[in-house]
Every structure is written in structure tokens, then in C-alpha cells.
Amino acid sequence: MDRTAAGWVNGLVGVVIFSGSLPATRVAVAQFDPVFLTVARAAIAGVLAAGLLVLFRERRPARVDLFSLAIVAAGVVIGFPLLTALALRHVTAAHSIVFIGLLPLATAIFGVVRAGERPKPLFWLFSLAGSACVVGFALAQGFAASATGDALMLAAVLACGLGYAEGARLSRQLGGWQVICWALVLSLPVMLALMLLTAPQTLSGIGTAAWVGLAYVSLFSMLIGFVFWYRGLAQGGIAAVGQLQLLQPFFGLAIAAALLHETVTPAMLAVTLGVVACVAGARKFAR
């Protein structure tokens, strides 16, 4: 398997793992405070990441890489988890997942700005078409009902796109799993302190579902998914492989419907399928 094909395979595995993030967050945030959930998932993943770095005796990143690692930490360790956790107190997981359709465009834009990629003009046409489907869906739902939730999801998408692009750029030097591990370790002292400060006074009333949600977002969403995702972006190109995120709403809606028994309306399915259809054209003109 050549490098580009491997990038698409790794990227797809990462997308499948990330597709469970919002449903799992939706379950966990029902009983955990959003701020505690954000710092707890980062702290748990950070401890595991530190163990992996010690186990494999990874060299420390150069001082020049610390700024990039800080961007990754701010975008995907803190920004996206916190903003989505807050958003999911206002909107359903099924509704929020559709906003993930904006991630490929955000990632591609930051890939141009931070990594110097130059997709062909037609690539942007397909990416914009997919994003237009998502924005149109949000407008059709009426922002008056959940303006706060939608605004938080849009902010989360921007933070995540920047973190994805920056992490992929840095993965070319440090390696995919090393980037997310070092970003987690960099933020670990602060995350541990905040976890202790925001921890619930009692854990006796926390149900099994909330604990499972916390475990999933800590282990899979915060660590394992990034191992595949950053490797895929570095191998196949940020803008190109980033288009696989257009599949994430489809997977996510299926998970939300199956596990949370949330209603997936015909409009949601139509938007998702329309967005997914754009991935073929965007992929063709990504390089």
C-alpha cells in the first residue's frame, strides 16, 4: 500500500472513532458538568499519553515545536471538547453532528494557512458545496431555538480545524501519535488541577452510561482516534484526507439513532447524504 492510500485508510479509521465522540459526550454531559468532562477526559488521556512516551522512550520535542503543540492542545485537547460539551446542553447529538460537516472546509483552510497546501480551485467548489448544505440545514432549523448551541458548535469547528491542520503539519516531523501525546502531556498539569477543582462533590449518583461516555471520549476520542487521524493527514495530505470528515455526520447520526434513540429526521439524512456526495469531487481536486 502506497503512502497516499495508507493515509486514506488511517484517516477513515480516525473518522469512524471520532463519530462516536458527540453521542458519547451527549451521554456524559447529562450527569457531568461540561467543564469537568473536558478537563477530566484530557487529564485521563494525558496520563496515558505520558506513559506511552516513557514506555517508548520518545525524544522530547524541540523548543521550536512547543508553539505548534500549544496550538494543538488549545484546539483539540481543550477548545473542541469544551465547546461541544457546552453546546450539547442546548442541542441534541444528532443536530450537533451535522455541524461536523463544516470541519473539512475549516481543516483545508488552516491547511493552506499553516501547512502551505494548495488545492485546485475546483476543490474549494466541492468543499463549499458541502459546507453550504450544513449551513443551510442549520438556518432551516431556526437559530432562535438554539442560537447558543449552534454558535458553540461553529466555534468548536474552527478550533478543531486549526488543531487538526497544525497537528498534521507537526506529525510530518514528530509522528502522528507522538504529536497528540505531547500535546496532552503539555496540558496535563493544568488539566489535572482543574479536574480536582471541578470534580463533583459526590460520584454516587453518576450512572453507568455517563461513565462509559467519559471512558470513550478519554480513551478513543482524545487519544486513539488522533493516532490514526494525524497519521492519515500527514500521509495523504491535510486538505485531501480531511474530506473524509464529510463521512463523520453519517456515521454519527447512525450512532445517535441507535444508542441514544434520538430522532433522525429526513432533513438531517438529506443534508448528510448531500455533504457526503461532495467528498468524491473534493478528493479528486485536492492536490
Side-chain angles (χ1 to χ4, degrees):
M1 185 181 297
D2 62 33
R3 180 177 176 84
T4 300
W8 282 88
V9 171
N10 283 316
L12 182 60
V13 173
V15 165
V16 171
I17 292 173
F18 289 150
S19 295
S21 299
L22 290 180
T25 300
R26 175 72 171 175
V27 171
V29 81
Q31 293 189 290
F32 286 118
D33 178 78
V35 175
F36 170 76
L37 179 64
T38 299
V39 297
R41 66 187 280 183
I44 294 169
V47 171
L48 295 173
L52 288 174
L53 292 170
V54 171
L55 179 64
F56 291 99
R57 299 181 180 180
E58 289 295 317
R59 63 179 178 84
R60 293 183 180 181
R63 183 174 298 181
V64 71
D65 295 328
L66 293 180
F67 178 71
S68 291
L69 286 171
I71 292 177
V72 174
V76 303
V77 176
I78 302 171
F80 184 76
L82 177 59
L83 291 168
T84 53
L86 293 171
L88 287 169
R89 287 203 159 182
H90 301 276
V91 297
T92 66
H95 180 79
S96 65
I97 284 169
V98 182
F99 279 82
I100 303 302
L102 290 169
L103 262 177
L105 181 61
T107 303
I109 291 173
F110 286 118
V112 170
V113 174
R114 295 297 301 169
E117 294 196 350
R118 294 294 182 268
K120 296 178 181 179
L122 283 176
F123 165 85
W124 297 108
L125 179 63
F126 284 104
S127 288
L128 286 170
S131 298
C133 290
V134 177
V135 174
F137 170 80
L139 291 173
Q141 302 307 301
F143 274 91
S146 57
T148 301
D150 287 337
L152 287 167
M153 282 304 304
L154 288 172
V157 164
L158 291 176
C160 193
L162 175 58
Y164 280 171
E166 192 68 24
R169 186 188 68 81
L170 197 56
S171 292
R172 297 168 182 170
Q173 304 165 223
L174 298 181
W177 72 270
Q178 291 91 338
V179 167
I180 188 59
C181 283
W182 282 117
L184 287 166
V185 168
L186 184 65
S187 59
L188 182 57
V190 175
M191 294 298 101
L192 278 174
L194 290 176
M195 183 179 73
L196 295 175
L197 288 173
T198 60
Q201 292 184 349
T202 177
L203 300 177
S204 59
I206 307 299
T208 301
W211 286 114
V212 172
L214 174 59
Y216 187 93
V217 296
S218 301
L219 182 59
F220 290 94
S221 304
M222 199 80 267
L223 184 59
I224 297 176
F226 279 104
V227 173
F228 292 97
W229 183 240
Y230 277 150
R231 184 184 300 166
L233 291 175
Q235 291 174 327
I238 297 171
V241 175
Q243 297 308 298
L244 283 171
Q245 294 167 105
L246 291 173
L247 298 173
Q248 191 166 328
F250 178 79
F251 295 135
L253 288 173
I255 293 172
L259 299 183
L260 305 183
H261 307 293
E262 294 187 355
T263 301
V264 178
T265 66
M268 289 179 183
L269 288 175
V271 170
T272 300
L273 292 175
V275 168
V276 169
C278 295
V279 73
R283 179 181 181 276
K284 182 177 181 180
F285 299 103
R287 289 181 177 272

